[in-house]
């Protein structure tokens, strides 16, 4: 797999218009199963073809149980300067429901160990709305996060995916179905609580202290170009081309061993581009730049859009600030539905 990743980097080295990278992200699964040497070798491979900005953000997604002292020591000697830890919860019952390998002690211990090795730029994932949780447990999860001085939080409502153990347990009556009204309540408690503790709610699921916003993910939300390497990775040219690699590891390796790219490509129509800009922009605190829409799209698209937003503005679920269209934070839980009403079909 490492060899195949390096081959893909070489084959796609000319795709980015700006070769001075602002961020590098090891994610999409469990990259923390790699050794420190393997991670360093991949970074060195990227450096053969791209230059790094002087303050580049280099993130590694990690499971708490992978972050032992030996691994963290190797990471602290590498260019990795940000960790995104898949904590999910500080309660064992929640973690068992989510089929996680780590326990609550691992979750807390991994954060403290990372800080001991000098990693201040930390993000953790937290899941709310679990059938094994409630508002009081959720409050304790958030309080624990504040006590651990974590500066970035990505938080998502528990969803029931097809063909998972959770789906089976719900079908068999072993656990109850997540309740949307409870998830709504926990979401808005979280937004108020974290704001009171100095966090900016800058994307529906993301909160950061000053200076700790995810630069890499912000590039997605600002519709910038990016290059994704590896199985299932997605790429975007910043305009009208999106591509994605095949998901199967063996097929991916076989293709790259034959010096062939393992990707499919889609040309985005103007309507596709418009809908994506609306969907992504309305999930963020900075909203949709109306001047960019005006410069990018034809009148027939904009005329329909402008008619659609008038009623929503009158209802208070959309606002304009500095020529940006936004959803007020109190309506963010409904953002996907609001955005879809504005799509071109």
């Amino acid at each position: 797999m490492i060899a195949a990743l390096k081959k893909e980097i070489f084959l796609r080295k000319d795709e980015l218009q700006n070769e001075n990278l602002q961020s590098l992200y090891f994610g999409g699964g469990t990259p923390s199963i790699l050794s420190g040497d393997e991670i360093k070798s991949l970074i060195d491979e990227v450096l053969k073809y791209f230059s790094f900005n002087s303050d580049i953000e280099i993130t590694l997604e990690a499971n708490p149980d992978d972050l032992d002292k030996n691994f963290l020591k190797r990471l602290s000697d590498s260019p990795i300067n940000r960790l995104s830890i898949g904590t999910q919860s500080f309660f064992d019952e929640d973690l068992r429901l989510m089929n996680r390998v780590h326990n609550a002690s691992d979750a807390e211990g991994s954060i403290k160990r990372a800080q001991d090795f000098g990693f201040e730029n930390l993000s953790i994932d937290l899941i709310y709305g679990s059938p094994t949780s409630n508002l009081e447990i959720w409050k304790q999860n958030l309080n624990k996060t504040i006590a651990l001085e974590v500066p970035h939080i990505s938080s998502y409502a528990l969803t029931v995916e097809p063909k998972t153990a959770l789906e089976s347990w719900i079908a068999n009556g072993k656990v109850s179905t997540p309740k949307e009204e409870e998830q709504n309540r926990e979401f808005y408690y979280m937004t108020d609580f974290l704001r009171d503790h100095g966090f900016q709610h800058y994307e529906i699921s993301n909160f950061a202290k000053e200076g700790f916003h995810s630069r890499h993910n912000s590039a997605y939300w600002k519709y910038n170009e990016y290059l994704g390497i590896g199985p299932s990775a997605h790429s975007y040219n910043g305009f009208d081309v999106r591509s994605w690699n095949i998901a199967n590891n063996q097929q991916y390796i076989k293709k790259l061993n034959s010096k062939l790219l393992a990707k499919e490509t889609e040309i985005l129509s103007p309507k596709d581009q418009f809908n994506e800009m609306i969907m992504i922009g309305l999930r963020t605190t900075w909203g949709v730049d109306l001047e960019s829409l005006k410069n990018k799209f034809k009148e027939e698209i904009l005329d329909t859009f402008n008619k659609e937003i008038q009623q929503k503005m009158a209802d208070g679920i959309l606002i304009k600030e500095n020529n940006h269209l936004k959803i007020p934070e109190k309506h963010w839980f409904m953002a996907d539905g609001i955005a879809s009403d504005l799509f071109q079909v």
Side-chain angles (χ1 to χ4, degrees), residues 150-176:
V150 174
H152 188 282
I153 299 163
S154 297
S155 190
Y156 308 93
L158 181 72
T159 56
V160 183
E161 300 295 336
K163 300 180 181 178
T164 60
L166 179 57
E167 183 188 51
S168 175
W169 293 337
I170 290 173
N172 294 328
K174 292 183 178 179
V175 296
S176 58

Side-chain angles (χ1 to χ4, degrees), residues 178-232:
K179 295 179 175 60
E180 185 174 340
E181 62 271 21
E182 181 64 21
Q183 292 183 337
N184 189 319
R185 194 157 67 116
E186 292 180 11
F187 173 82
Y188 285 113
Y189 176 84
M190 170 176 60
T191 61
D192 291 341
F193 177 87
L194 292 178
R195 186 190 306 108
D196 291 344
H197 285 84
F199 285 80
Q200 181 186 7
H201 190 188
Y202 71 108
E203 193 271 345
I204 286 179
S205 302
N206 286 269
F207 305 79
K209 288 286 187 76
E210 183 69 32
F212 288 96
H213 297 64
S214 170
R215 256 185 276 164
H216 189 83
N217 289 340
S218 293
Y220 297 150
W221 303 324
K222 293 180 179 178
Y223 226 57
N224 295 338
E225 63 176 341
Y226 52 89
L227 177 63
I229 302 294
S232 297

Side-chain angles (χ1 to χ4, degrees), residues 90 107-109 111-113 115-116 122 124 126 138-153 193-194 197-199 209:
F90 294 103
E108 182 173 351
I111 295 168
K112 291 179 176 178
R113 284 192 299 275
Q115 291 167 331
D116 288 343
L122 296 178
I124 67 170
L126 290 177
W138 182 231
K139 288 179 180 179
Q140 292 179 57
N141 266 317
L142 293 172
N143 278 313
K144 174 69 72 174
T145 303
I146 297 302
L148 289 169
E149 299 183 338
V150 174
H152 188 282
I153 299 163
F193 177 87
L194 292 178
H197 285 84
F199 285 80
K209 288 286 187 76

